[in-house]
């Protein structure tokens, strides 16, 4: 029997004096509870005698989830596709849908000397005794005029058109590698793409048809015949810009170039002057201005001393010091005088040659 203070059924389980009195000293504080890991056994583990007391949960994945990986992959594919399509099928600018550039119309007129071509060993003396005595040297002889805005083009756009035209004139008239070599790329890279086929055909199949003469695009001499005696080429001329319509600027250039040449060979000590008058008409749309390119639409060239019997389509074959023309032109033509057209072959006016 139990004691007087005990219940008839005995001490309840968990009560004072029960079987768990030995755990009364254990204290489950808050940090212990938070650190406890609740783990559930699988059914297989619960029926197996050798199952471990605690089943380890798989470690948490620290990388990207499957959805995130798929999203990253889709973005990469879309970005790569955009780059590929941009390279293969670039967007066309609105300006490129305009009318194509006109083909260049050109005229090259040789000027024959009246008598022997004067020469001297001192090129400075030759220049001093010629109408080019006061000309400037090189690109300094191609000054840019004051640029004024037009109805549809700003000051900067007009200045840009004048600068591109000057760059074309310098490259096609003053670069030594163009004048006495086979280099055409310095000129070609400035042209509107619509004119490149005509330019290339002019040099691959030259023709005196007013469309495909290399000497209409640039100045170049026969390198087997003549070379520069002085690289300080004398230049004088003008540039003018005007608006032809709301989408087009036009630049007109009129320049005279005077070159000192001598015959190719070690014993050639006599130099002579060769004169080229170039009247060029350039055209620019807004796309040309943006890309720094030009449309050359008119080229009118007078050059001498040349023989009218020589073909000046592909290269100029200058008459050098002491040489005479086999036949002259119908009239005296002064390449230093502005205005006035000439026949298909002219003769140099007496006052246009040095007095030596």
């Amino acid at each position: 029997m139990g004691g007087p203070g005990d219940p008839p059924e005995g001490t309840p389980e968990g009560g004072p004096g029960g079987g768990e009195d030995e755990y009364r000293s254990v204290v489950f504080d808050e940090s212990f509870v938070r650190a406890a890991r609740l783990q559930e056994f699988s059914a297989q583990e619960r029926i197996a005698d050798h199952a471990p007391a605690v089943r380890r949960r798989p470690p948490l994945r620290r990388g990207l989830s499957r959805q995130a990986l798929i999203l990253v992959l889709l973005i990469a594919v879309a970005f790569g596709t955009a780059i590929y399509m941009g390279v293969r099928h670039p967007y066309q600018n609105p300006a490129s849908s305009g009318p194509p550039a006109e083909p260049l119309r050109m005229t090259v007129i040789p000027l024959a000397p009246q008598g022997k071509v004067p020469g001297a060993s001192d090129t400075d003396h030759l220049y001093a005794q010629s109408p080019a005595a006061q000309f400037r040297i090189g690109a300094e002889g191609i000054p840019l005029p004051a640029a004024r805005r037009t109805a549809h083009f700003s000051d900067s756009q007009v200045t840009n058109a004048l600068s591109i035209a000057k760059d074309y004139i310098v490259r096609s008239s003053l670069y030594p590698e163009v004048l006495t070599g086979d280099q055409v790329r310095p000129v070609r890279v400035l042209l509107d793409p619509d004119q490149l086929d005509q330019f290339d055909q002019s040099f691959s199949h030259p023709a005196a048809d007013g469309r495909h003469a290399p000497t209409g695009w640039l100045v170049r001499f026969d390198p087997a015949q003549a070379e520069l005696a002085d690289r300080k080429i004398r230049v004088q001329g003008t540039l003018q810009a005007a608006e032809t319509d709301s989408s087009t600027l036009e630049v007109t250039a009129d320049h005279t170039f005077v070159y000192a040449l001598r015959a190719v060979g070690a014993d050639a000590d006599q130099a002579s002057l060769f004169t080229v008058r170039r009247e060029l008409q350039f055209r620019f749309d807004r796309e040309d201005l943006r890309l720094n390119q030009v449309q050359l639409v008119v080229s009118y060239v007078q050059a001498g001393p040349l023989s009218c019997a020589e073909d000046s389509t592909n290269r100029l074959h200058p008459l050098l010091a002491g040489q005479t023309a086999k036949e002259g032109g119908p009239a005296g033509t002064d390449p230093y005088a502005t205005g006035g057209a000439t026949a298909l072959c002219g003769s140099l006016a007496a006052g246009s040659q040095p007095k030596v």
Side-chain angles (χ1 to χ4, degrees):
M1 296 180 62
D6 294 331
E9 298 82 7
T11 303
E13 184 179 355
E20 294 188 9
D21 285 353
E22 56 183 315
Y23 296 105
R24 292 181 182 274
S25 61
V26 179
V27 178
F28 298 96
D29 58 4
E30 183 179 356
S31 62
F32 179 87
V33 173
R34 288 183 178 179
R37 294 168 54 187
L38 300 177
Q39 299 186 11
E40 180 183 356
F41 298 122
S42 66
Q44 183 67 29
E45 289 173 338
R46 287 197 297 268
I47 64 176
D49 293 338
H50 60 278
V54 178
R55 180 173 62 88
R56 295 288 183 181
R57 290 189 301 177
L60 295 177
R61 295 184 179 180
R62 299 296 183 182
L64 295 175
S65 65
R66 178 177 299 178
Q67 292 83 354
L69 288 174
I70 293 175
L71 180 60
V72 171
L73 180 60
L74 289 176
I75 293 175
V77 171
F79 186 74
T81 302
I83 294 177
Y84 176 79
M85 294 300 294
V87 172
R88 292 292 303 272
H89 306 285
Y91 292 108
Q92 298 296 325
N93 290 291
S96 64
S97 60
E102 295 182 10
L104 171 61
R105 307 185 305 275
M106 60 184 70
T107 304
V108 180
I109 299 175
L111 303 178
Q114 299 180 2
K116 288 186 178 182
V117 177
S121 58
D122 186 354
T123 57
D124 289 336
H125 177 71
L126 278 175
Y127 282 124
Q129 299 301 316
S130 75
Q134 303 303 319
F135 285 13
R136 295 182 179 181
I137 297 175
E140 294 181 358
I142 314 174
L144 295 180
R148 293 181 176 86
R149 64 177 298 117
T150 65
H152 299 92
F153 291 89
S154 65
D155 294 343
S156 61
Q157 288 176 315
V158 174
T159 299
N160 192 28
L162 290 166
S163 299
I164 300 171
K166 175 179 178 177
D167 194 16
Y168 184 95
I169 295 169
V170 169
R171 295 184 183 208
S172 62
S173 307
L174 299 177
Y175 274 23
E177 62 269 28
V178 173
L179 297 173
T180 57
D182 293 323
Q183 295 296 319
V184 299
R185 189 176 184 278
V187 178
R188 188 182 188 276
V189 295
L190 290 178
L191 289 173
D192 186 289
D194 290 337
Q195 291 190 313
L196 293 181
D197 286 343
Q198 183 187 7
F199 182 89
D200 294 340
Q201 188 175 352
S202 298
F203 289 87
S204 60
H205 299 90
D209 58 0
R211 291 288 189 273
H212 301 95
T215 49
W217 295 98
L218 49 81
V219 178
R220 68 174 186 173
F221 305 106
D222 183 356
Q225 180 182 0
E227 63 183 8
L228 291 173
D230 187 353
R231 293 200 173 193
K232 298 178 181 179
I233 301 164
R234 272 46 172 191
V235 186
Q236 180 172 279
T238 60
L239 281 171
Q240 294 180 339
E243 178 182 312
T244 58
D245 56 51
S246 61
S247 61
T248 308
L249 273 176
E250 195 168 88
V251 174
T252 302
D254 186 354
H255 293 86
T256 299
F257 304 84
V258 184
Y259 307 87
L261 303 177
R262 65 163 52 97
V264 175
D267 57 346
D269 60 350
Q270 293 287 302
S272 60
L273 298 185
F274 188 89
T275 304
V276 178
R277 169 102 174 267
R278 301 184 80 195
E279 298 176 60
L280 306 177
Q281 182 178 319
F282 303 96
R283 193 166 293 165
F284 302 86
D285 57 28
R286 285 182 169 79
E287 184 75 354
D288 292 324
L289 295 176
R290 186 180 71 84
L291 297 176
N292 289 326
Q293 62 191 23
V294 64
Q295 304 173 32
L296 179 60
V297 294
V298 175
S299 174
Y300 181 81
V301 180
Q302 300 173 359
L306 290 169
S307 173
C308 293
E310 289 283 355
D311 183 6
S312 300
T313 301
N314 188 23
R315 297 181 183 274
L316 300 176
H317 304 274
L319 294 173
L320 302 172
Q323 296 180 337
T324 58
K326 297 179 180 179
E327 57 183 71
T333 302
D334 186 357
Y336 295 87
T338 59
T342 66
L344 294 180
C345 183
S347 61
L348 283 168
S352 63
Q353 289 289 287
K355 299 177 181 178
V356 295

